[in-house]
PDB file of all heavy atoms in Angstrom:
ATOM      1  N   LEU L  79     112.443 112.875 114.929  1.00  0.00           N
ATOM      2  CA  LEU L  79     113.464 113.843 114.634  1.00  0.00           C
ATOM      3  C   LEU L  79     114.887 113.358 114.893  1.00  0.00           C
ATOM      4  O   LEU L  79     115.778 113.601 114.087  1.00  0.00           O
ATOM      5  CB  LEU L  79     113.194 115.133 115.413  1.00  0.00           C
ATOM      6  CG  LEU L  79     111.984 115.962 114.965  1.00  0.00           C
ATOM      7  CD1 LEU L  79     111.826 117.192 115.782  1.00  0.00           C
ATOM      8  CD2 LEU L  79     112.106 116.331 113.483  1.00  0.00           C
ATOM      9  N   PRO L  80     115.144 112.637 116.002  1.00  0.00           N
ATOM     10  CA  PRO L  80     116.520 112.106 116.154  1.00  0.00           C
ATOM     11  C   PRO L  80     116.934 111.150 115.044  1.00  0.00           C
ATOM     12  O   PRO L  80     118.074 111.251 114.532  1.00  0.00           O
ATOM     13  CB  PRO L  80     116.435 111.342 117.495  1.00  0.00           C
ATOM     14  CG  PRO L  80     115.306 111.951 118.235  1.00  0.00           C
ATOM     15  CD  PRO L  80     114.320 112.373 117.199  1.00  0.00           C
ATOM     16  N   ILE L  81     116.060 110.271 114.594  1.00  0.00           N
ATOM     17  CA  ILE L  81     116.397 109.325 113.522  1.00  0.00           C
ATOM     18  C   ILE L  81     116.556 110.076 112.175  1.00  0.00           C
ATOM     19  O   ILE L  81     117.501 109.838 111.417  1.00  0.00           O
ATOM     20  CB  ILE L  81     115.370 108.223 113.400  1.00  0.00           C
ATOM     21  CG1 ILE L  81     115.368 107.358 114.658  1.00  0.00           C
ATOM     22  CG2 ILE L  81     115.627 107.368 112.160  1.00  0.00           C
ATOM     23  CD1 ILE L  81     116.616 106.567 114.871  1.00  0.00           C
ATOM     24  N   ALA L  82     115.631 110.980 111.910  1.00  0.00           N
ATOM     25  CA  ALA L  82     115.670 111.706 110.626  1.00  0.00           C
ATOM     26  C   ALA L  82     116.912 112.589 110.518  1.00  0.00           C
ATOM     27  O   ALA L  82     117.567 112.618 109.477  1.00  0.00           O
ATOM     28  CB  ALA L  82     114.408 112.565 110.474  1.00  0.00           C
ATOM     29  N   ARG L  83     117.304 113.242 111.612  1.00  0.00           N
ATOM     30  CA  ARG L  83     118.540 114.042 111.566  1.00  0.00           C
ATOM     31  C   ARG L  83     119.738 113.141 111.334  1.00  0.00           C
ATOM     32  O   ARG L  83     120.707 113.502 110.666  1.00  0.00           O
ATOM     33  CB  ARG L  83     118.675 114.820 112.901  1.00  0.00           C
ATOM     34  CG  ARG L  83     117.729 116.009 113.010  1.00  0.00           C
ATOM     35  CD  ARG L  83     118.018 116.741 114.289  1.00  0.00           C
ATOM     36  NE  ARG L  83     119.308 117.367 114.304  1.00  0.00           N
ATOM     37  CZ  ARG L  83     119.561 118.694 114.079  1.00  0.00           C
ATOM     38  NH1 ARG L  83     118.529 119.470 113.761  1.00  0.00           N
ATOM     39  NH2 ARG L  83     120.744 119.149 114.131  1.00  0.00           N
ATOM     40  N   THR L  84     119.761 111.996 112.022  1.00  0.00           N
ATOM     41  CA  THR L  84     120.875 111.056 111.853  1.00  0.00           C
ATOM     42  C   THR L  84     121.044 110.611 110.424  1.00  0.00           C
ATOM     43  O   THR L  84     122.160 110.617 109.857  1.00  0.00           O
ATOM     44  CB  THR L  84     120.669 109.826 112.761  1.00  0.00           C
ATOM     45  OG1 THR L  84     120.582 110.196 114.132  1.00  0.00           O
ATOM     46  CG2 THR L  84     121.815 108.831 112.588  1.00  0.00           C
ATOM     47  N   LEU L  85     119.944 110.281 109.751  1.00  0.00           N
ATOM     48  CA  LEU L  85     119.996 109.755 108.400  1.00  0.00           C
ATOM     49  C   LEU L  85     120.191 110.864 107.358  1.00  0.00           C
ATOM     50  O   LEU L  85     121.011 110.682 106.420  1.00  0.00           O
ATOM     51  CB  LEU L  85     118.727 108.988 108.067  1.00  0.00           C
ATOM     52  CG  LEU L  85     118.442 107.736 108.920  1.00  0.00           C
ATOM     53  CD1 LEU L  85     117.114 107.103 108.528  1.00  0.00           C
ATOM     54  CD2 LEU L  85     119.552 106.716 108.805  1.00  0.00           C
ATOM     55  N   TYR L  86     119.508 111.938 107.484  1.00  0.00           N
ATOM     56  CA  TYR L  86     119.463 112.952 106.419  1.00  0.00           C
ATOM     57  C   TYR L  86     120.353 114.166 106.674  1.00  0.00           C
ATOM     58  O   TYR L  86     121.027 114.624 105.736  1.00  0.00           O
ATOM     59  CB  TYR L  86     118.012 113.391 106.170  1.00  0.00           C
ATOM     60  CG  TYR L  86     117.050 112.254 105.943  1.00  0.00           C
ATOM     61  CD1 TYR L  86     115.854 112.128 106.635  1.00  0.00           C
ATOM     62  CD2 TYR L  86     117.373 111.209 105.073  1.00  0.00           C
ATOM     63  CE1 TYR L  86     115.023 111.075 106.451  1.00  0.00           C
ATOM     64  CE2 TYR L  86     116.518 110.140 104.876  1.00  0.00           C
ATOM     65  CZ  TYR L  86     115.338 110.050 105.571  1.00  0.00           C
ATOM     66  OH  TYR L  86     114.495 108.970 105.382  1.00  0.00           O
ATOM     67  N   LYS L  87     120.333 114.693 107.858  1.00  0.00           N
ATOM     68  CA  LYS L  87     121.178 115.852 108.122  1.00  0.00           C
ATOM     69  C   LYS L  87     122.621 115.457 108.392  1.00  0.00           C
ATOM     70  O   LYS L  87     123.582 116.085 107.857  1.00  0.00           O
ATOM     71  CB  LYS L  87     120.630 116.712 109.280  1.00  0.00           C
ATOM     72  CG  LYS L  87     121.311 118.049 109.467  1.00  0.00           C
ATOM     73  CD  LYS L  87     120.592 118.883 110.471  1.00  0.00           C
ATOM     74  CE  LYS L  87     121.092 120.307 110.511  1.00  0.00           C
ATOM     75  NZ  LYS L  87     122.525 120.416 110.832  1.00  0.00           N
ATOM     76  N   GLU L  88     122.849 114.425 109.223  1.00  0.00           N
ATOM     77  CA  GLU L  88     124.197 113.976 109.478  1.00  0.00           C
ATOM     78  C   GLU L  88     124.700 113.004 108.438  1.00  0.00           C
ATOM     79  O   GLU L  88     125.873 112.640 108.417  1.00  0.00           O
ATOM     80  CB  GLU L  88     124.243 113.273 110.868  1.00  0.00           C
ATOM     81  CG  GLU L  88     123.801 114.130 112.043  1.00  0.00           C
ATOM     82  CD  GLU L  88     124.720 115.299 112.300  1.00  0.00           C
ATOM     83  OE1 GLU L  88     125.940 115.083 112.070  1.00  0.00           O
ATOM     84  OE2 GLU L  88     124.254 116.372 112.705  1.00  0.00           O
ATOM     85  N   ASP L  89     123.799 112.594 107.545  1.00  0.00           N
ATOM     86  CA  ASP L  89     124.154 111.701 106.378  1.00  0.00           C
ATOM     87  C   ASP L  89     124.844 110.403 106.883  1.00  0.00           C
ATOM     88  O   ASP L  89     125.854 110.014 106.271  1.00  0.00           O
ATOM     89  CB  ASP L  89     125.053 112.470 105.395  1.00  0.00           C
ATOM     90  CG  ASP L  89     125.089 111.759 104.061  1.00  0.00           C
ATOM     91  OD1 ASP L  89     124.141 111.010 103.729  1.00  0.00           O
ATOM     92  OD2 ASP L  89     126.079 111.922 103.326  1.00  0.00           O
ATOM     93  N   ARG L  90     124.245 109.742 107.857  1.00  0.00           N
ATOM     94  CA  ARG L  90     124.768 108.479 108.278  1.00  0.00           C
ATOM     95  C   ARG L  90     123.988 107.336 107.584  1.00  0.00           C
ATOM     96  O   ARG L  90     122.847 107.504 107.182  1.00  0.00           O
ATOM     97  CB  ARG L  90     124.691 108.352 109.778  1.00  0.00           C
ATOM     98  CG  ARG L  90     125.576 109.349 110.479  1.00  0.00           C
ATOM     99  CD  ARG L  90     125.549 109.261 111.986  1.00  0.00           C
ATOM    100  NE  ARG L  90     126.366 110.248 112.630  1.00  0.00           N
ATOM    101  CZ  ARG L  90     126.467 110.414 113.949  1.00  0.00           C
ATOM    102  NH1 ARG L  90     125.835 109.586 114.772  1.00  0.00           N
ATOM    103  NH2 ARG L  90     127.221 111.394 114.439  1.00  0.00           N
ATOM    104  N   LYS L  91     124.635 106.227 107.504  1.00  0.00           N
ATOM    105  CA  LYS L  91     124.061 105.099 106.713  1.00  0.00           C
ATOM    106  C   LYS L  91     122.792 104.500 107.382  1.00  0.00           C
ATOM    107  O   LYS L  91     121.839 104.243 106.673  1.00  0.00           O
ATOM    108  CB  LYS L  91     125.144 104.009 106.562  1.00  0.00           C
ATOM    109  CG  LYS L  91     124.609 102.684 105.941  1.00  0.00           C
ATOM    110  CD  LYS L  91     124.264 102.846 104.509  1.00  0.00           C
ATOM    111  CE  LYS L  91     123.914 101.491 103.895  1.00  0.00           C
ATOM    112  NZ  LYS L  91     123.577 101.599 102.454  1.00  0.00           N
ATOM    113  N   GLY L  92     122.802 104.317 108.645  1.00  0.00           N
ATOM    114  CA  GLY L  92     121.673 103.600 109.281  1.00  0.00           C
ATOM    115  C   GLY L  92     121.470 103.981 110.729  1.00  0.00           C
ATOM    116  O   GLY L  92     122.287 104.695 111.336  1.00  0.00           O
ATOM    117  N   ALA L  93     120.407 103.474 111.280  1.00  0.00           N
ATOM    118  CA  ALA L  93     120.070 103.744 112.663  1.00  0.00           C
ATOM    119  C   ALA L  93     119.097 102.667 113.198  1.00  0.00           C
ATOM    120  O   ALA L  93     118.371 102.064 112.386  1.00  0.00           O
ATOM    121  CB  ALA L  93     119.446 105.127 112.867  1.00  0.00           C
ATOM    122  N   PHE L  94     119.069 102.494 114.511  1.00  0.00           N
ATOM    123  CA  PHE L  94     118.099 101.659 115.159  1.00  0.00           C
ATOM    124  C   PHE L  94     117.006 102.495 115.798  1.00  0.00           C
ATOM    125  O   PHE L  94     117.341 103.503 116.456  1.00  0.00           O
ATOM    126  CB  PHE L  94     118.784 100.801 116.261  1.00  0.00           C
ATOM    127  CG  PHE L  94     119.685  99.727 115.791  1.00  0.00           C
ATOM    128  CD1 PHE L  94     121.069  99.903 115.776  1.00  0.00           C
ATOM    129  CD2 PHE L  94     119.182  98.522 115.348  1.00  0.00           C
ATOM    130  CE1 PHE L  94     121.890  98.898 115.356  1.00  0.00           C
ATOM    131  CE2 PHE L  94     119.992  97.522 114.885  1.00  0.00           C
ATOM    132  CZ  PHE L  94     121.369  97.677 114.903  1.00  0.00           C
ATOM    133  N   LEU L  95     115.759 102.055 115.618  1.00  0.00           N
ATOM    134  CA  LEU L  95     114.686 102.656 116.359  1.00  0.00           C
ATOM    135  C   LEU L  95     114.111 101.559 117.226  1.00  0.00           C
ATOM    136  O   LEU L  95     113.459 100.601 116.804  1.00  0.00           O
ATOM    137  CB  LEU L  95     113.557 103.145 115.408  1.00  0.00           C
ATOM    138  CG  LEU L  95     112.282 103.704 116.064  1.00  0.00           C
ATOM    139  CD1 LEU L  95     112.654 104.824 117.067  1.00  0.00           C
ATOM    140  CD2 LEU L  95     111.329 104.224 115.013  1.00  0.00           C
ATOM    141  N   VAL L  96     114.410 101.661 118.537  1.00  0.00           N
ATOM    142  CA  VAL L  96     114.022 100.646 119.539  1.00  0.00           C
ATOM    143  C   VAL L  96     112.842 101.208 120.339  1.00  0.00           C
ATOM    144  O   VAL L  96     112.990 102.223 121.035  1.00  0.00           O
ATOM    145  CB  VAL L  96     115.212 100.313 120.497  1.00  0.00           C
ATOM    146  CG1 VAL L  96     114.833  99.193 121.419  1.00  0.00           C
ATOM    147  CG2 VAL L  96     116.425  99.999 119.663  1.00  0.00           C
ATOM    148  N   GLY L  97     111.704 100.532 120.218  1.00  0.00           N
ATOM    149  CA  GLY L  97     110.523 100.992 120.910  1.00  0.00           C
ATOM    150  C   GLY L  97     109.724  99.878 121.461  1.00  0.00           C
ATOM    151  O   GLY L  97     109.606  98.808 120.864  1.00  0.00           O
ATOM    152  N   GLU L  98     109.141 100.111 122.639  1.00  0.00           N
ATOM    153  CA  GLU L  98     108.298  99.083 123.230  1.00  0.00           C
ATOM    154  C   GLU L  98     107.018  98.900 122.389  1.00  0.00           C
ATOM    155  O   GLU L  98     106.629  99.764 121.613  1.00  0.00           O
ATOM    156  CB  GLU L  98     107.905  99.468 124.662  1.00  0.00           C
ATOM    157  CG  GLU L  98     109.061  99.508 125.612  1.00  0.00           C
ATOM    158  CD  GLU L  98     108.680  99.934 127.003  1.00  0.00           C
ATOM    159  OE1 GLU L  98     107.563 100.444 127.166  1.00  0.00           O
ATOM    160  OE2 GLU L  98     109.482  99.780 127.941  1.00  0.00           O
ATOM    161  N   MET L  99     106.394  97.771 122.549  1.00  0.00           N
ATOM    162  CA  MET L  99     105.178  97.461 121.812  1.00  0.00           C
ATOM    163  C   MET L  99     104.104  98.489 122.156  1.00  0.00           C
ATOM    164  O   MET L  99     103.874  98.778 123.313  1.00  0.00           O
ATOM    165  CB  MET L  99     104.655  96.073 122.148  1.00  0.00           C
ATOM    166  CG  MET L  99     103.400  95.649 121.374  1.00  0.00           C
ATOM    167  SD  MET L  99     102.863  93.980 121.744  1.00  0.00           S
ATOM    168  CE  MET L  99     102.449  94.110 123.470  1.00  0.00           C
ATOM    169  N   GLY L 100     103.529  99.103 121.160  1.00  0.00           N
ATOM    170  CA  GLY L 100     102.518 100.140 121.367  1.00  0.00           C
ATOM    171  C   GLY L 100     103.084 101.562 121.337  1.00  0.00           C
ATOM    172  O   GLY L 100     102.288 102.498 121.376  1.00  0.00           O
ATOM    173  N   ALA L 101     104.403 101.701 121.223  1.00  0.00           N
ATOM    174  CA  ALA L 101     104.975 103.032 121.212  1.00  0.00           C
ATOM    175  C   ALA L 101     104.809 103.709 119.877  1.00  0.00           C
ATOM    176  O   ALA L 101     104.962 104.947 119.786  1.00  0.00           O
ATOM    177  CB  ALA L 101     106.461 102.968 121.574  1.00  0.00           C
ATOM    178  N   GLY L 102     104.486 102.947 118.833  1.00  0.00           N
ATOM    179  CA  GLY L 102     104.220 103.559 117.495  1.00  0.00           C
ATOM    180  C   GLY L 102     105.428 103.519 116.549  1.00  0.00           C
ATOM    181  O   GLY L 102     105.693 104.451 115.862  1.00  0.00           O
ATOM    182  N   LYS L 103     106.127 102.389 116.535  1.00  0.00           N
ATOM    183  CA  LYS L 103     107.309 102.282 115.637  1.00  0.00           C
ATOM    184  C   LYS L 103     106.899 102.373 114.143  1.00  0.00           C
ATOM    185  O   LYS L 103     107.637 102.944 113.357  1.00  0.00           O
ATOM    186  CB  LYS L 103     108.018 100.960 115.888  1.00  0.00           C
ATOM    187  CG  LYS L 103     108.655 100.831 117.247  1.00  0.00           C
ATOM    188  CD  LYS L 103     109.516  99.603 117.379  1.00  0.00           C
ATOM    189  CE  LYS L 103     108.676  98.307 117.349  1.00  0.00           C
ATOM    190  NZ  LYS L 103     107.828  98.201 118.508  1.00  0.00           N
ATOM    191  N   THR L 104     105.711 101.896 113.824  1.00  0.00           N
ATOM    192  CA  THR L 104     105.254 101.920 112.436  1.00  0.00           C
ATOM    193  C   THR L 104     105.083 103.347 111.934  1.00  0.00           C
ATOM    194  O   THR L 104     105.700 103.736 110.928  1.00  0.00           O
ATOM    195  CB  THR L 104     103.950 101.148 112.275  1.00  0.00           C
ATOM    196  OG1 THR L 104     104.145  99.779 112.708  1.00  0.00           O
ATOM    197  CG2 THR L 104     103.481 101.127 110.827  1.00  0.00           C
ATOM    198  N   ILE L 105     104.305 104.157 112.611  1.00  0.00           N
ATOM    199  CA  ILE L 105     104.084 105.517 112.170  1.00  0.00           C
ATOM    200  C   ILE L 105     105.354 106.356 112.270  1.00  0.00           C
ATOM    201  O   ILE L 105     105.589 107.233 111.445  1.00  0.00           O
ATOM    202  CB  ILE L 105     102.905 106.163 112.959  1.00  0.00           C
ATOM    203  CG1 ILE L 105     102.546 107.483 112.306  1.00  0.00           C
ATOM    204  CG2 ILE L 105     103.277 106.346 114.429  1.00  0.00           C
ATOM    205  CD1 ILE L 105     101.290 108.114 112.906  1.00  0.00           C
ATOM    206  N   MET L 106     106.193 106.093 113.283  1.00  0.00           N
ATOM    207  CA  MET L 106     107.447 106.818 113.391  1.00  0.00           C
ATOM    208  C   MET L 106     108.378 106.544 112.190  1.00  0.00           C
ATOM    209  O   MET L 106     108.969 107.462 111.633  1.00  0.00           O
ATOM    210  CB  MET L 106     108.117 106.532 114.729  1.00  0.00           C
ATOM    211  CG  MET L 106     107.483 107.152 115.944  1.00  0.00           C
ATOM    212  SD  MET L 106     108.472 107.060 117.430  1.00  0.00           S
ATOM    213  CE  MET L 106     108.189 105.338 117.886  1.00  0.00           C
ATOM    214  N   SER L 107     108.471 105.285 111.782  1.00  0.00           N
ATOM    215  CA  SER L 107     109.342 104.940 110.665  1.00  0.00           C
ATOM    216  C   SER L 107     108.799 105.514 109.380  1.00  0.00           C
ATOM    217  O   SER L 107     109.553 105.959 108.518  1.00  0.00           O
ATOM    218  CB  SER L 107     109.530 103.419 110.586  1.00  0.00           C
ATOM    219  OG  SER L 107     108.271 102.811 110.358  1.00  0.00           O
ATOM    220  N   LEU L 108     107.472 105.501 109.186  1.00  0.00           N
ATOM    221  CA  LEU L 108     106.855 106.067 107.965  1.00  0.00           C
ATOM    222  C   LEU L 108     107.119 107.596 107.930  1.00  0.00           C
ATOM    223  O   LEU L 108     107.329 108.193 106.866  1.00  0.00           O
ATOM    224  CB  LEU L 108     105.369 105.732 107.920  1.00  0.00           C
ATOM    225  CG  LEU L 108     105.068 104.282 107.650  1.00  0.00           C
ATOM    226  CD1 LEU L 108     103.544 104.063 107.804  1.00  0.00           C
ATOM    227  CD2 LEU L 108     105.532 103.839 106.244  1.00  0.00           C
ATOM    228  N   ALA L 109     107.026 108.219 109.128  1.00  0.00           N
ATOM    229  CA  ALA L 109     107.282 109.662 109.182  1.00  0.00           C
ATOM    230  C   ALA L 109     108.732 109.942 108.859  1.00  0.00           C
ATOM    231  O   ALA L 109     109.039 110.935 108.175  1.00  0.00           O
ATOM    232  CB  ALA L 109     106.966 110.153 110.582  1.00  0.00           C
ATOM    233  N   VAL L 110     109.645 109.099 109.296  1.00  0.00           N
ATOM    234  CA  VAL L 110     111.082 109.273 108.949  1.00  0.00           C
ATOM    235  C   VAL L 110     111.240 109.158 107.434  1.00  0.00           C
ATOM    236  O   VAL L 110     111.987 109.912 106.834  1.00  0.00           O
ATOM    237  CB  VAL L 110     111.935 108.207 109.694  1.00  0.00           C
ATOM    238  CG1 VAL L 110     113.347 108.217 109.132  1.00  0.00           C
ATOM    239  CG2 VAL L 110     111.962 108.528 111.180  1.00  0.00           C
ATOM    240  N   ALA L 111     110.549 108.167 106.829  1.00  0.00           N
ATOM    241  CA  ALA L 111     110.622 108.051 105.368  1.00  0.00           C
ATOM    242  C   ALA L 111     110.076 109.254 104.657  1.00  0.00           C
ATOM    243  O   ALA L 111     110.649 109.717 103.630  1.00  0.00           O
ATOM    244  CB  ALA L 111     109.838 106.782 104.949  1.00  0.00           C
ATOM    245  N   ALA L 112     109.034 109.861 105.207  1.00  0.00           N
ATOM    246  CA  ALA L 112     108.461 111.071 104.613  1.00  0.00           C
ATOM    247  C   ALA L 112     109.407 112.260 104.654  1.00  0.00           C
ATOM    248  O   ALA L 112     109.338 113.190 103.825  1.00  0.00           O
ATOM    249  CB  ALA L 112     107.160 111.434 105.302  1.00  0.00           C
ATOM    250  N   LEU L 113     110.311 112.307 105.618  1.00  0.00           N
ATOM    251  CA  LEU L 113     111.265 113.389 105.758  1.00  0.00           C
ATOM    252  C   LEU L 113     112.475 113.289 104.864  1.00  0.00           C
ATOM    253  O   LEU L 113     113.373 114.163 104.895  1.00  0.00           O
ATOM    254  CB  LEU L 113     111.745 113.519 107.244  1.00  0.00           C
ATOM    255  CG  LEU L 113     110.635 113.923 108.212  1.00  0.00           C
ATOM    256  CD1 LEU L 113     111.173 113.971 109.644  1.00  0.00           C
ATOM    257  CD2 LEU L 113     110.061 115.306 107.870  1.00  0.00           C
TER     258      LEU L 113
END
Side-chain angles (χ1 to χ4, degrees):
L79 288 182
I81 294 294
R83 286 182 66 101
T84 299
L85 297 179
Y86 307 132
K87 191 172 188 298
E88 302 293 328
D89 196 26
R90 297 182 182 178
K91 172 69 174 180
F94 288 102
L95 177 54
V96 185
E98 294 179 348
M99 183 178 64
K103 294 188 292 295
T104 300
I105 189 172
M106 285 191 283
S107 61
L108 291 172
V110 169
L113 293 178

